[in-house]
């Protein structure tokens, strides 16, 4: 186990810049999730840590030792691929023991290592099968087994659950979390799925277009997104965003949303009067139906029951306002209701720069 | 076809006889043109050819043509030239296939790595395949000829030859002339097929192996080779059968000489049939070659099946 230091790491393919300077320190034993939309450079960063891609600029240290020039095999890391990349001509046992055999580990040691891993992942009855004869979930577990037999300094996961169906994905998510709690190994996990990121991570690194947008605990990112990207990316259904004008005259900071609707803010924002701002509020924080002084009249366009709760789409001040409620039968299509945004739940962003201002 | 399906399987078919006949013969009518073509161009000549082996057919002898049973095969068993040719065939085929395969594999591995100008390199490497075998035989014969070709002088210069003589007239080494020409000509076949197989291997397997600590050679052994094995089996089989039957280069470059030292079975068949005009005997030799190659192919097919089951 070891810490990982990433210092101003950049990647370019020819003239195309993919990563624009990533700085990140991962503590020993920490589970860090890199999350972001497809093509933002997560895999590239992970593969650079693994040694599968050259580092165009910057420095990566594993356990305090610079690894830029080291081959993958000398970095003592293990990686789980999205496609699992199991060796099709070897049995499960062969796949799991391959790295140990290459290292000329003693036979008894190999046997105990793979039987231990097989036990942890309930692979024991499958050890003599070939990958072809396994289901997706079993293959996934073999890929994990192959990674853990070596007790490497760090685990790297590149969207390991993307090829599984929803049920199995949920199950394996739990398994991975348990495994990490068991082994306590430093792990970097790449995913585009914000639920995976939220549930697994000690710390989330949100990335977009080759730039780290925010680093923090899952609830940090959820409760105080640093910019519009993170606010929109984390959470499902996604956060409501309304553009408006910031007003701070007469000591009452507020946002004008158009059609005469004004929303009061808890405190002054770090911007000037009259600035273009974006007001964000999560659907589960929108209050529907209570006639409070601040409430806004709205008409229900669409009702989406999820079983777990209900998503209401309401039309207010010319915008679509989503509200999520655990209550059923709160409103029906065509109803006129009132919605309100509790001040302590409001996020405020600068529309042009996208950064959080209150 | 829908007619045939509609024909009621239960009870008596009440359609008129001609309609029933038409729908019953429909599938045969559709496949007839292809079947007739295959039978006339493949099966008929094959059967006639095989029948020659049991008849006395000499083109210049007007009284020949009679059925003589296994006489040709008895003569063949005592024919020294035939046994020599059989040995030469093994030698010629073995070295040609082995060298073509090894060099073709190396070429495929080189072309599989990305580098600048790879497209051009690929096109150039595959060029020999497009040269007619006859032409390449003539070319190589010229290259080996000390009067017009450079190779004897190079070999002499390197000390590999005592004098700049024609390799093709050396009784001990003449076979290497056609083998070298054949290798040059046949490398692209292996390079193309193996390159296609190489490119179908998922890249992340190599990456996983690199992380697991495999050296390039270990990666080749535990990933590339098992993936290539079925392709190797089938291409080696095809090439072996093809080369064992492939007399063009030998006929053009040495014509079996000196003193039958480069005579292979295929060129012996050619000489017997078209020089001595003894079609019956030539056909008997051809049947023996066919039987040997069939046995060989069966073995390779079995090997390939086991390899594929391993996946
Ligand atoms: N070998 C390559 N050559 C050029 N561009 C590449 C290469 N590999 C990846 N890219 C580009 O880098 C970007 C990031 O890719 P990747 O790291 O795989 O994204 P993701 O976040 O989905 O894992 C993508 O836009 C992709 O097109
Ligand atoms: Mg990716």
């Amino acid at each position: 186990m070891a810490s990982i230091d990433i210092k101003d790491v950049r990647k370019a393919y020819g003239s195309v810049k993919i990563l624009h300077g990533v700085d990140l320190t991962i503590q020993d034993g920490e589970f860090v999730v890199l999350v972001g939309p497809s093509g933002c450079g997560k895999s590239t960063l992970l593969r650079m840590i693994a040694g599968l891609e050259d580092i165009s600029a910057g420095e990566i240290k594993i356990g305090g030792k610079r690894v830029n020039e080291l081959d993958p095999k000398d970095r003592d890391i293990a990686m789980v691929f999205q496609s699992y990349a199991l060796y099709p001509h070897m049995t499960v046992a062969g796949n799991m023991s391959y790295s140990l055999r290459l290292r000329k580990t003693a036979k008894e040691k190999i046997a105990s290592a793979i039987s231990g891993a097989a036990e942890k992942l309930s692979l024991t009855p499958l050890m003599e099968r070939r990958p072809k004869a396994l289901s997706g979930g079993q293959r996934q577990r073999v890929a994990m087994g192959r990674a853990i037999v070596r007790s490497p300094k760090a685990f790297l996961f590149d969207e390991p659950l993307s090829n599984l169906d929803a049920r199995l994905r949920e199950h394996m998510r739990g398994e991975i979390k348990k495994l990490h709690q068991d082994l306590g190994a430093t792990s970097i996990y790449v995913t585009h799925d914000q639920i995976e990121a939220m549930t697994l991570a000690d710390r989330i690194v949100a990335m977009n277009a080759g730039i780290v947008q925010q680093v923090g605990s899952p609830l940090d990112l959820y409760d105080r997104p640093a910019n519009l990207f993170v606010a929109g990316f984390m959470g499902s259904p996604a956060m409501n965003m309304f553009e408006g004008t910031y007003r701070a005259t007469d000591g009452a900071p507020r946002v004008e949303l158009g059609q005469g609707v004004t929303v009061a803010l808890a405190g002054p924002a770090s911007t000037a009067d009259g600035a273009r701002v974006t007001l964000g509020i999560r659907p589960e924080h929108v209050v529907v139906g209570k006639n409070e002084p601040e409430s806004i009249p709205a008409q229900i366009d669409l009702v989406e029951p999820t079983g777990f709760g209900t998503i209401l789409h309401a039309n207010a001040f010319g915008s679509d306002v989503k509200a999520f409620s655990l209550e059923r039968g709160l409103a029906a299509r065509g109803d006129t209701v009132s919605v309100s945004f509790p001040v302590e739940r409001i996020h405020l962003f600068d529309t042009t720069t996208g950064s959080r201002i209150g | 076809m829908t007619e045939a399906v509609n024909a009621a399987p239960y009870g008596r078919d009440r359609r008129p006889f001609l309609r029933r006949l038409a729908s019953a013969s429909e599938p045969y009518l559709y496949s007839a043109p292809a079947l007739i073509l295959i039978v006339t161009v493949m099966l008929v000549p094959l059967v006639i050819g095989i029948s020659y082996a049991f008849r006395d057919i000499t083109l210049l002898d007007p009284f020949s043509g009679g059925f003589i049973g296994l006489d040709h095969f008895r003569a063949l068993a005592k024919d020294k030239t035939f046994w020599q040719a059989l040995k030469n065939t093994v030698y010629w085929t073995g070295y040609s296939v082995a060298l073509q395969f090894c060099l073709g594999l190396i070429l495929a591995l080189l072309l599989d790595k990305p580098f600048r100008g790879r497209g051009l390199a690929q096109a150039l490497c595959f060029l020999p395949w497009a040269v007619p075998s006859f032409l390449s035989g003539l070319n190589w014969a010229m290259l080996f000829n000390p009067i017009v070709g450079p190779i004897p002088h190079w070999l002499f210069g390197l000390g590999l030859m005592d004098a700049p003589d024609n390799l093709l007239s050396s009784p001990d080494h003449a076979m290497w002339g056609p083998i070298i020409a054949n290798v040059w000509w046949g490398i692209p076949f292996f390079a193309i097929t193996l390159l296609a197989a190489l490119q179908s291997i998922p890249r992340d397997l190599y990456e996983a192996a690199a992380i697991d600590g495999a050296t390039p050679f270990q990666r080749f052994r535990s990933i590339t080779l098992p993936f290539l094995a079925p392709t190797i089996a089938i291409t080696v089989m095809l090439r072996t059968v093809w080369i064992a039957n492939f007399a063009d280069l030998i006929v053009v470059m040495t014509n079996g000489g000196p003193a039958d030292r480069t005579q292979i079975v295929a060129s012996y068949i050619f000489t017997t049939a078209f020089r001595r005009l003894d079609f019956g005997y030539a056909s008997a030799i051809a049947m023996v070659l066919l039987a040997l190659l069939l046995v060989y192919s069966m073995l390779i097919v079995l090997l390939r099946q086991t390899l594929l089951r391993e996946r």
Side-chain angles (χ1 to χ4, degrees), chain A residues 47 52 72-73 77-79 81 83 85-90 98-99 102-103 130 132 146 150, chain B residues 204-215 218-219 222-223 226-227 307-311:
Chain A
R47 293 164 55 81
L52 299 173
K73 69 178 159 68
I77 41 93
M79 183 154 166
F81 292 80
S83 63
L86 300 179
Y87 311 122
H89 305 93
M90 299 182 197
Y98 187 59
S99 61
L102 290 174
R103 266 150 236 242
R130 284 180 199 275
K132 197 176 67 176
R146 190 169 65 178
R150 264 168 43 202
Chain B
D204 50 10
L205 285 184
Y206 291 107
E207 294 177 346
I211 290 176
D212 271 348
T215 60
Q218 286 164 330
R219 271 175 259 167
S222 48
I223 298 172
F227 260 99
L307 286 175
L308 277 178
R309 222 170 297 130
E310 298 260 302
R311 283 252 175 114

Coordinates of all heavy atoms in Angstrom, one line a residue, chain A residues 47 52 72-73 77-79 81 83 85-90 98-99 102-103 130 132 146 150, chain B residues 204-215 218-219 222-223 226-227 307-311:
Chain A
R47 N -4.6 5.4 -16.8 CA -3.6 4.6 -17.6 C -2.2 5.2 -17.5 O -1.2 4.5 -17.6 CB -4.0 4.5 -19.1 CG -5.3 3.7 -19.2 CD -5.9 3.9 -20.6 NE -5.0 3.7 -21.6 CZ -4.7 2.4 -22.1 NH1 -5.3 1.4 -21.6 NH2 -3.8 2.3 -23.0
L52 N 0.6 2.7 -18.7 CA 0.2 2.2 -20.0 C 0.2 3.4 -21.0 O 0.2 3.2 -22.2 CB -1.2 1.6 -20.0 CG -1.4 0.4 -19.1 CD1 -2.8 0.0 -19.0 CD2 -0.5 -0.7 -19.6
P72 N 5.0 -0.6 -16.4 CA 3.9 -1.0 -15.6 C 4.2 -2.1 -14.6 O 3.8 -2.0 -13.4 CB 2.9 -1.5 -16.6 CG 3.2 -0.9 -17.9 CD 4.7 -0.7 -17.9
K73 N 5.0 -3.1 -15.0 CA 5.2 -4.2 -14.0 C 6.1 -3.7 -12.8 O 6.0 -4.4 -11.8 CB 5.9 -5.3 -14.8 CG 7.3 -5.1 -15.2 CD 7.8 -6.4 -15.9 CE 9.0 -6.2 -16.8 NZ 10.2 -5.8 -16.1
I77 N 1.3 -2.1 -9.2 CA -0.1 -1.7 -9.1 C -0.9 -2.8 -9.8 O -0.3 -3.6 -10.5 CB -0.4 -0.4 -9.8 CG1 0.3 -0.2 -11.1 CG2 -0.1 0.8 -8.9 CD1 -0.3 -0.6 -12.3
A78 N -2.2 -2.9 -9.5 CA -3.0 -3.9 -10.2 C -4.2 -3.1 -10.8 O -4.6 -2.1 -10.3 CB -3.6 -4.9 -9.3
M79 N -4.6 -3.6 -12.0 CA -5.7 -2.8 -12.7 C -6.8 -3.8 -13.1 O -6.6 -4.9 -13.5 CB -5.1 -2.2 -13.9 CG -6.1 -1.3 -14.7 SD -5.2 0.0 -15.6 CE -6.4 0.6 -16.7
F81 N -9.9 -3.9 -15.7 CA -10.3 -3.3 -16.9 C -11.8 -3.4 -17.1 O -12.5 -4.3 -16.6 CB -9.6 -3.9 -18.1 CG -8.2 -3.7 -18.2 CD1 -7.3 -4.4 -17.4 CD2 -7.6 -2.7 -19.0 CE1 -5.9 -4.3 -17.5 CE2 -6.3 -2.5 -19.1 CZ -5.4 -3.3 -18.3
S83 N -13.3 -4.2 -19.8 CA -13.6 -5.4 -20.6 C -13.1 -6.7 -19.8 O -13.2 -7.8 -20.3 CB -12.8 -5.4 -21.9 OG -11.4 -5.3 -21.6
A85 N -10.4 -8.1 -19.6 CA -9.2 -8.5 -20.1 C -8.6 -9.8 -19.5 O -7.5 -9.9 -19.1 CB -8.1 -7.4 -20.0
L86 N -9.5 -10.7 -19.3 CA -9.1 -12.0 -18.8 C -8.4 -12.8 -19.9 O -8.8 -12.7 -21.1 CB -10.3 -12.9 -18.3 CG -11.1 -12.2 -17.2 CD1 -12.2 -13.1 -16.8 CD2 -10.2 -11.9 -16.0
Y87 N -7.4 -13.6 -19.6 CA -6.7 -14.4 -20.6 C -7.5 -15.5 -21.0 O -7.8 -16.4 -20.2 CB -5.3 -14.9 -20.1 CG -4.5 -13.8 -19.4 CD1 -4.1 -13.9 -18.1 CD2 -4.2 -12.6 -20.1 CE1 -3.4 -12.8 -17.5 CE2 -3.5 -11.6 -19.5 CZ -3.1 -11.7 -18.2 OH -2.4 -10.7 -17.6
P88 N -8.0 -15.6 -22.2 CA -9.0 -16.6 -22.6 C -8.5 -18.0 -22.6 O -9.3 -18.9 -22.5 CB -9.5 -16.1 -24.0 CG -8.4 -15.3 -24.5 CD -7.7 -14.7 -23.3
H89 N -7.2 -18.1 -22.7 CA -6.7 -19.5 -22.8 C -6.3 -20.1 -21.5 O -5.7 -21.2 -21.4 CB -5.5 -19.5 -23.8 CG -5.8 -19.0 -25.1 ND1 -5.6 -17.7 -25.5 CD2 -6.4 -19.6 -26.2 CE1 -6.0 -17.5 -26.7 NE2 -6.5 -18.6 -27.1
M90 N -6.5 -19.3 -20.4 CA -6.1 -19.8 -19.1 C -7.4 -20.0 -18.3 O -8.4 -19.3 -18.5 CB -5.3 -18.8 -18.4 CG -3.9 -18.5 -19.1 SD -3.0 -17.4 -18.0 CE -1.8 -16.8 -19.2
Y98 N -1.4 -15.9 -12.7 CA -0.4 -15.5 -13.8 C 0.7 -14.6 -13.3 O 1.9 -14.9 -13.4 CB -1.1 -14.9 -14.9 CG -0.3 -14.6 -16.2 CD1 0.4 -15.7 -16.8 CD2 -0.1 -13.4 -16.7 CE1 1.2 -15.4 -17.9 CE2 0.6 -13.1 -17.8 CZ 1.3 -14.2 -18.4 OH 2.1 -13.9 -19.5
S99 N 0.3 -13.5 -12.6 CA 1.3 -12.6 -12.1 C 2.3 -13.2 -11.1 O 3.5 -12.9 -11.2 CB 0.7 -11.3 -11.5 OG -0.1 -11.7 -10.4
L102 N 4.7 -15.5 -12.9 CA 5.8 -14.7 -13.6 C 6.8 -14.2 -12.6 O 8.0 -14.1 -13.0 CB 5.2 -13.5 -14.3 CG 4.3 -13.8 -15.5 CD1 3.6 -12.5 -16.0 CD2 5.1 -14.4 -16.6
R103 N 6.4 -14.0 -11.4 CA 7.4 -13.5 -10.4 C 8.1 -14.7 -9.7 O 8.7 -14.5 -8.7 CB 6.6 -12.7 -9.3 CG 6.7 -11.3 -9.6 CD 5.4 -10.6 -9.1 NE 4.8 -9.9 -10.2 CZ 4.7 -8.6 -10.3 NH1 5.0 -7.8 -9.3 NH2 4.2 -8.0 -11.4
R130 N -12.7 -21.9 -17.9 CA -12.1 -20.8 -18.7 C -13.1 -19.6 -18.7 O -14.3 -19.8 -18.5 CB -11.9 -21.3 -20.1 CG -10.7 -22.2 -20.1 CD -10.4 -22.7 -21.5 NE -9.6 -23.9 -21.5 CZ -8.3 -23.8 -21.5 NH1 -7.7 -22.7 -21.5 NH2 -7.6 -24.9 -21.4
K132 N -14.5 -18.0 -20.9 CA -15.6 -18.2 -21.8 C -16.9 -18.8 -21.2 O -18.0 -18.5 -21.5 CB -15.2 -19.1 -23.0 CG -16.1 -19.0 -24.2 CD -15.4 -19.9 -25.3 CE -15.5 -21.3 -25.0 NZ -15.0 -22.2 -26.1
R146 N -7.8 -11.4 -9.8 CA -6.5 -11.3 -10.4 C -5.7 -10.2 -9.8 O -4.5 -10.2 -9.7 CB -6.6 -11.2 -11.9 CG -5.4 -11.3 -12.7 CD -5.6 -11.4 -14.1 NE -6.2 -10.2 -14.7 CZ -6.5 -10.0 -16.0 NH1 -6.2 -11.0 -16.8 NH2 -7.0 -8.9 -16.4
R150 N -2.0 -10.3 -5.7 CA -0.7 -9.9 -5.6 C -0.4 -8.9 -4.4 O 0.7 -8.5 -4.2 CB -0.3 -9.1 -6.9 CG 0.4 -9.9 -7.9 CD 0.4 -9.2 -9.2 NE 0.7 -7.8 -9.1 CZ 0.4 -6.9 -10.0 NH1 -0.3 -7.3 -11.0 NH2 0.8 -5.7 -9.8
Chain B
D204 N -6.2 -4.8 -24.7 CA -6.1 -4.7 -23.2 C -5.5 -6.0 -22.6 O -5.1 -6.0 -21.5 CB -7.4 -4.3 -22.6 CG -8.6 -5.1 -23.1 OD1 -8.3 -6.1 -23.8 OD2 -9.7 -4.7 -22.8
L205 N -5.6 -7.1 -23.4 CA -4.9 -8.3 -22.9 C -3.4 -8.1 -22.7 O -2.9 -8.5 -21.7 CB -5.1 -9.5 -23.8 CG -6.5 -10.1 -23.8 CD1 -6.5 -11.3 -24.8 CD2 -6.9 -10.5 -22.4
Y206 N -2.8 -7.4 -23.6 CA -1.4 -7.1 -23.5 C -1.1 -6.2 -22.4 O -0.2 -6.3 -21.7 CB -0.9 -6.5 -24.8 CG -0.9 -7.5 -26.0 CD1 -1.8 -7.4 -27.0 CD2 0.1 -8.5 -26.0 CE1 -1.7 -8.3 -28.1 CE2 0.1 -9.4 -27.0 CZ -0.8 -9.3 -28.1 OH -0.8 -10.2 -29.1
E207 N -2.1 -5.2 -22.2 CA -1.9 -4.3 -21.1 C -2.0 -4.9 -19.8 O -1.2 -4.7 -18.9 CB -2.9 -3.1 -21.3 CG -2.7 -2.3 -22.5 CD -3.7 -1.2 -22.7 OE1 -4.8 -1.3 -22.1 OE2 -3.4 -0.4 -23.6
A208 N -3.0 -5.8 -19.7 CA -3.2 -6.6 -18.4 C -1.9 -7.4 -18.1 O -1.4 -7.4 -17.0 CB -4.4 -7.5 -18.5
A209 N -1.4 -8.0 -19.2 CA -0.2 -8.8 -19.0 C 1.0 -8.0 -18.6 O 1.8 -8.4 -17.8 CB 0.1 -9.7 -20.2
A210 N 1.1 -6.8 -19.2 CA 2.2 -5.9 -18.9 C 2.2 -5.5 -17.4 O 3.2 -5.5 -16.7 CB 2.2 -4.7 -19.8
I211 N 0.9 -5.3 -16.9 CA 0.8 -4.9 -15.5 C 1.1 -6.1 -14.6 O 1.7 -6.0 -13.6 CB -0.6 -4.4 -15.2 CG1 -0.7 -3.0 -15.9 CG2 -0.9 -4.3 -13.8 CD1 -2.1 -2.4 -15.8
D212 N 0.7 -7.3 -15.1 CA 1.0 -8.5 -14.4 C 2.4 -8.9 -14.3 O 2.8 -9.8 -13.6 CB 0.2 -9.7 -15.0 CG -1.2 -9.8 -14.4 OD1 -1.5 -9.2 -13.3 OD2 -2.0 -10.6 -14.9
G213 N 3.2 -8.2 -15.2 CA 4.7 -8.4 -15.1 C 5.3 -9.2 -16.2 O 6.4 -9.7 -16.0
A214 N 4.5 -9.4 -17.3 CA 5.1 -10.3 -18.4 C 6.0 -9.4 -19.2 O 5.7 -8.3 -19.6 CB 3.9 -10.8 -19.2
T215 N 7.1 -10.0 -19.6 CA 8.1 -9.4 -20.6 C 7.4 -9.6 -21.9 O 6.5 -10.4 -22.1 CB 9.4 -10.1 -20.5 OG1 9.2 -11.5 -20.9 CG2 10.1 -10.1 -19.2
Q218 N 7.2 -13.1 -22.9 CA 6.2 -13.9 -22.2 C 4.8 -13.5 -22.7 O 3.9 -14.4 -22.7 CB 6.3 -13.6 -20.7 CG 7.5 -14.3 -20.1 CD 7.9 -13.7 -18.7 OE1 7.7 -12.6 -18.4 NE2 8.4 -14.6 -17.8
R219 N 4.6 -12.2 -23.0 CA 3.3 -11.8 -23.6 C 3.1 -12.5 -24.9 O 2.0 -13.0 -25.2 CB 3.3 -10.3 -23.8 CG 2.8 -9.5 -22.6 CD 2.9 -8.1 -22.8 NE 4.2 -7.5 -22.2 CZ 4.7 -6.4 -22.4 NH1 4.1 -5.6 -23.3 NH2 5.8 -6.0 -21.8
S222 N 2.2 -16.2 -24.0 CA 0.9 -16.6 -23.3 C -0.3 -15.9 -23.9 O -1.4 -16.3 -23.6 CB 1.0 -16.3 -21.8 OG 1.5 -15.1 -21.6
I223 N -0.1 -14.9 -24.8 CA -1.3 -14.3 -25.4 C -1.3 -14.5 -26.9 O -2.2 -15.1 -27.5 CB -1.4 -12.8 -25.1 CG1 -1.5 -12.7 -23.6 CG2 -2.6 -12.2 -25.8 CD1 -1.4 -11.2 -23.1
P226 N -1.3 -18.4 -28.4 CA -2.5 -19.2 -28.3 C -3.6 -18.6 -29.2 O -4.4 -19.3 -29.8 CB -2.9 -19.0 -26.8 CG -1.7 -18.6 -26.1 CD -0.8 -18.0 -27.1
F227 N -3.6 -17.3 -29.4 CA -4.6 -16.6 -30.3 C -4.3 -17.0 -31.7 O -5.2 -17.2 -32.5 CB -4.6 -15.1 -30.1 CG -5.7 -14.6 -29.2 CD1 -5.4 -14.3 -27.9 CD2 -7.0 -14.4 -29.7 CE1 -6.5 -13.9 -27.1 CE2 -8.0 -14.0 -28.9 CZ -7.7 -13.7 -27.6
L307 N -7.3 -27.1 -30.9 CA -6.9 -25.8 -30.5 C -8.0 -24.8 -30.3 O -8.1 -24.1 -29.4 CB -5.9 -25.2 -31.6 CG -4.5 -25.8 -31.7 CD1 -3.8 -25.3 -32.9 CD2 -3.8 -25.5 -30.4
L308 N -9.0 -24.9 -31.2 CA -10.2 -24.0 -31.1 C -11.0 -24.3 -29.8 O -11.6 -23.5 -29.2 CB -11.1 -24.1 -32.3 CG -10.6 -23.3 -33.5 CD1 -11.5 -23.6 -34.7 CD2 -10.6 -21.8 -33.2
R309 N -11.1 -25.6 -29.5 CA -11.8 -26.0 -28.3 C -11.2 -25.4 -27.0 O -11.8 -25.2 -26.0 CB -11.9 -27.5 -28.2 CG -13.3 -28.0 -27.8 CD -13.5 -29.5 -27.9 NE -13.4 -29.9 -29.3 CZ -12.6 -30.9 -29.7 NH1 -11.8 -31.6 -28.8 NH2 -12.5 -31.3 -30.9
E310 N -9.9 -25.2 -27.1 CA -9.2 -24.7 -25.9 C -9.6 -23.3 -25.6 O -9.5 -22.8 -24.4 CB -7.7 -24.6 -26.3 CG -7.0 -25.9 -26.5 CD -6.3 -26.4 -25.3 OE1 -5.4 -25.7 -24.9 OE2 -6.6 -27.5 -24.8
R311 N -10.1 -22.5 -26.6 CA -10.5 -21.1 -26.3 C -11.4 -20.9 -25.2 O -12.5 -21.6 -25.2 CB -11.1 -20.5 -27.6 CG -10.1 -20.2 -28.6 CD -10.0 -18.7 -28.8 NE -8.9 -18.4 -29.8 CZ -9.1 -17.8 -31.0 NH1 -10.3 -17.5 -31.3 NH2 -8.2 -17.6 -31.8

